[in-house]
Amino acid sequence: MKTAPHQPPASAPSPVLPSRPILVVGASGAIGSQVVRALVARGARVRVLIRSLERGADLPPQVERVVGTLEDCQAIARAMRGVHAAFYVSPHDEREEQLAENFVRACELEGVRLVFSGVHADGKNRLSRLIQRTVFGLLMPHYKPKLRLAERVRTSRTNPVVLVPGNYFQMDEVSREELLAGRYPLPLGLVPRVDTRDVGEAAARALLDPSVPSGGYALVGPESLSGAQTAAHWSEALGQLVSYTPDLAVMDALFSRAYGARKALDCQKSYRMVGKVKVRTSPADLQQTTFLLGRPPRSHAEYAREVAALWRGAVPIPAAAYPLPSAAS
Ligand SMILES: NC(=O)c1ccc[n+]([C@@H]2O[C@H](COP(=O)([O-])OP(=O)(O)OC[C@H]3O[C@@H](n4cnc5c(N)ncnc54)[C@H](OP(=O)(O)O)[C@@H]3O)[C@@H](O)[C@H]2O)c1
């Protein structure tokens, strides 16, 4: 697989929509739902592999549903039949490498383009990828399976597009009550961050447009953000002071309350690392994102303003109904 060009061509005009459907995995989740939204908005035919019809209840009615799991190769084969391209995001699951293998193999068998979103050490050559994977694996041992499965995708015979998003803006929303109380408790050193809607739209472009070169693409917002900068955006959006108060105990409680055990643990471990690192968004990463989107990415300040407006229109939330350690403890 070629690495994505560092000087991507100017965004191509919209291609003709494929008549065959696009298969999306994880359609009830944070990223898959945005991919479905972006594909439907472009008028594409969408098919999803979901674990039950209830899990797909919020999907637009025209979306084709195939009920099955990633453990079930026959269900994957059924879902894959006759599709134009397929989107994969790795679920928080201890068997994630095997689940990815089942899906990648089905894409290879059907000759289907695979667009993947996840953690990936995307160096320019084999040595730099190995170094990146080793360093990443040392910093984040629990990411080793994620890095291996991304490498499997990158080297697969699927004409793959590997999207490597930064930290999602939308992760902030687990802290809603804390933000409204004037605190931003998630530790953030300085990291590239991105709106999940942009991840969905970039994926839709790669799924629909065969002229998008196979390769790795960073997906980032306009700039890297620290915890203090993120809190400042929330201050401006909410019209009240929000202070950066990184607190691992509060964070752990928030993730445990919001997510299932495996996802909560993944997020708790990831943020322990994210709180320590300082990574600046590079012009090349921004260029790759802009290429796929055909426009500059959304900013965190803009995202926070939209969410604050939604929250203002929503029913006021009661005082925290769950046991959270105080920010000072
Ligand atoms: N960059 C960041 O800030 C960030 C943050 C969080 C996660 N991530 C990464 O994003 C990935 C997770 O994506 P997400 O946040 O979209 O996950 P998510 O919201 O937890 O959604 C997971 C999706 O996968 C489906 N799924 C789970 N197990 C399945 C199985 N065995 N068979 C079929 N479908 C299955 C779920 O379906 P059900 O509805 O049936 O459960 C759900 O639709 C992880 O690899 C993680 O590392 C990145």
Side-chain angles (χ1 to χ4, degrees):
M1 184 187 78
K2 281 187 288 180
T3 314
H6 278 275
Q7 297 284 333
S11 191
S14 297
V16 178
L17 280 178
S19 57
R20 289 175 292 152
I22 307 292
L23 174 62
V24 178
V25 160
S28 53
I31 293 301
S33 62
Q34 292 301 331
V35 178
V36 171
R37 188 190 62 80
L39 288 167
V40 169
R42 283 159 181 71
R45 273 181 71 191
V46 181
R47 183 184 295 167
V48 297
L49 176 69
I50 42 173
R51 292 201 280 192
S52 70
L53 286 176
E54 295 75 56
R55 302 297 293 155
D58 291 339
L59 294 168
Q62 69 270 39
V63 169
E64 296 170 35
R65 280 109 163 128
V66 174
V67 175
T69 72
L70 290 164
E71 286 84 349
D72 179 352
C73 293
Q74 287 180 352
I76 297 174
R78 264 200 323 276
M80 194 72 70
R81 207 159 293 144
V83 303
H84 171 80
F87 175 79
Y88 191 80
V89 61
S90 182
H92 298 270
D93 191 298
E94 60 207 10
R95 300 150 299 170
E96 66 181 328
E97 271 185 277
Q98 184 57 55
L99 302 183
E101 179 59 33
N102 294 346
F103 197 79
V104 174
R105 212 178 290 158
C107 289
E108 288 181 329
L109 276 172
E110 286 287 321
V112 162
R113 164 167 266 193
L114 174 55
V115 176
F116 164 81
S117 173
V119 188
H120 175 49
D122 189 32
K124 285 187 198 64
N125 53 45
R126 203 187 280 191
L127 181 64
S128 68
R129 280 195 292 275
L130 181 68
I131 293 169
Q132 277 190 27
R133 272 209 307 282
T134 309
V135 173
F136 218 142
L138 286 172
L139 284 171
M140 310 258 295
H142 76 291
Y143 267 51
K144 283 183 184 167
K146 290 188 193 300
L147 293 168
R148 283 195 298 264
L149 76 84
E151 187 62 7
R152 169 72 176 102
V153 171
R154 190 190 70 79
T155 54
S156 64
R157 287 173 286 105
T158 63
N159 190 25
V161 170
V162 176
L163 306 174
V164 188
N167 172 266
Y168 306 148
F169 295 167
Q170 280 75 3
M171 296 298 289
D172 289 358
E173 289 165 49
V174 295
S175 308
R176 174 176 163 156
E177 286 90 342
E178 288 289 306
L179 284 166
L180 293 172
R183 295 183 292 269
Y184 182 77
L186 305 182
L188 280 180
L190 182 74
V191 289
R193 307 197 68 200
V194 65
D195 194 307
T196 56
R197 292 170 295 180
D198 284 350
V199 179
E201 284 167 34
R205 165 88 195 280
L207 287 159
L208 294 174
D209 184 351
S211 77
V212 169
S214 176
Y217 294 82
L219 293 180
V220 296
E223 59 189 349
S224 282
L225 293 170
S226 65
Q229 287 165 313
T230 299
H233 292 161
W234 282 109
S235 295
E236 193 252 339
L238 292 167
Q240 64 179 56
L241 180 65
V242 175
S243 305
Y244 177 47
T245 56
D247 186 318
L248 294 180
V250 171
M251 176 192 81
D252 286 349
L254 290 169
F255 284 135
S256 296
R257 184 187 59 140
Y259 302 138
R262 179 75 193 193
K263 182 165 181 174
L265 189 64
D266 264 6
C267 292
Q268 289 157 353
K269 287 183 176 172
S270 300
Y271 269 90
R272 278 173 168 72
M273 197 271 288
V274 163
K276 291 185 196 141
V277 299
K278 289 201 179 344
V279 181
R280 289 206 178 276
T281 299
S282 73
D285 287 355
L286 194 50
Q287 197 178 21
Q288 289 175 2
T289 305
T290 305
F291 163 65
L292 283 180
L293 291 174
R295 58 165 173 78
R298 292 176 166 95
S299 74
H300 183 271
E302 180 191 346
Y303 152 80
R305 279 193 293 273
E306 286 173 35
V307 173
L310 278 176
W311 288 353
R312 270 195 292 275
V315 182
I317 35 176
Y322 55 94
L324 256 191
S326 81
S329 65

